[in-house]
Amino acid sequence: MSLEGKLISEINIKSDGDVFHEIFRHRPHHISNMCDKIQNVDIHEGEWGTVGSVISWYFTHDGKEKVSKNIIEAIDEEKKLVKFKVTGGDILEEYKSCSFTVHVETKDENNLVTWIAEYEKKNENMPDPHTYMELLLNMSKDIETHHLN
């Protein structure tokens, strides 16, 4: 049994896909105003929206307060993609490595948000990160709702 894995989840949103991408690229620190599961997002190194910047997410997962320190590993404006590599915090207590990519496809009024989790479990008894993907999908819905209201 392999300890490495990849999960892919998609969700259609009615809000503007360009705005959705812009939030994750330039303004993730505003997400706490849109989603009650995200308490705060802080920048430690670099600038918002630049590769190599280090940010921390403070969030609630499975009823517990958690933190995830990330480096922005990739940004692709054309594909509306941002990749976050987890470098510290609670997620790395469960996984040897983990990264999350958010990608937005925009076609007319249809906007498809794709979340990709790439990970390596510390041991075969660890579950795949389905609950983290659920958190990301719920966060996406909350951001959509915020922008539709």
Side-chain angles (χ1 to χ4, degrees):
M1 174 182 250
S2 175
L3 297 178
E4 293 182 4
K6 183 177 194 176
L7 295 177
I8 301 172
S9 294
E10 298 176 333
I11 185 171
N12 283 300
I13 60 169
K14 294 181 180 105
S15 59
D16 188 303
D18 291 326
V19 170
F20 191 91
H21 167 69
E22 193 262 340
I23 289 167
F24 281 94
R25 169 147 190 205
H26 293 289
R27 299 184 293 131
H29 53 294
H30 291 188
I31 294 173
S32 61
N33 297 325
M34 302 173 214
C35 176
D36 64 352
K37 298 283 186 194
I38 307 298
Q39 284 75 49
N40 200 10
V41 182
D42 289 334
I43 191 159
H44 297 283
E45 294 176 28
E47 296 179 22
W48 296 114
T50 59
V51 171
S53 294
V54 177
I55 61 176
S56 288
W57 296 75
Y58 299 87
F59 60 99
T60 303
H61 174 256
D62 286 344
K64 297 177 184 165
E65 300 290 316
K66 295 191 176 182
V67 65
S68 176
K69 190 172 183 181
N70 297 233
I71 187 167
I72 299 175
E73 193 169 69
I75 296 172
D76 187 324
E77 279 301 306
E78 192 174 310
K79 293 181 181 178
K80 297 180 183 73
L81 176 146
V82 181
K83 182 174 185 178
F84 302 92
K85 180 180 180 184
V86 180
T87 60
D90 296 297
I91 294 173
L92 292 185
E93 290 179 13
E94 303 170 48
Y95 301 93
K96 189 174 182 180
S97 65
C98 191
S99 66
F100 296 99
T101 303
V102 59
H103 163 66
V104 185
E105 287 180 52
T106 55
K107 287 187 181 175
D108 302 320
E109 294 179 17
N110 297 316
N111 298 295
L112 182 68
V113 175
T114 303
W115 282 99
I116 303 167
E118 298 172 272
Y119 59 93
E120 182 178 355
K121 299 188 241 183
K122 285 192 171 183
N123 61 62
E124 62 187 35
N125 297 325
M126 290 302 305
D128 294 326
H130 291 287
T131 57
Y132 286 105
M133 289 299 274
E134 185 179 322
L135 172 69
L136 296 172
L137 292 174
N138 287 332
M139 178 177 59
S140 300
K141 290 178 198 172
D142 289 346
I143 292 169
E144 172 190 37
T145 300
H146 176 84
H147 282 90
L148 291 176
N149 291 337

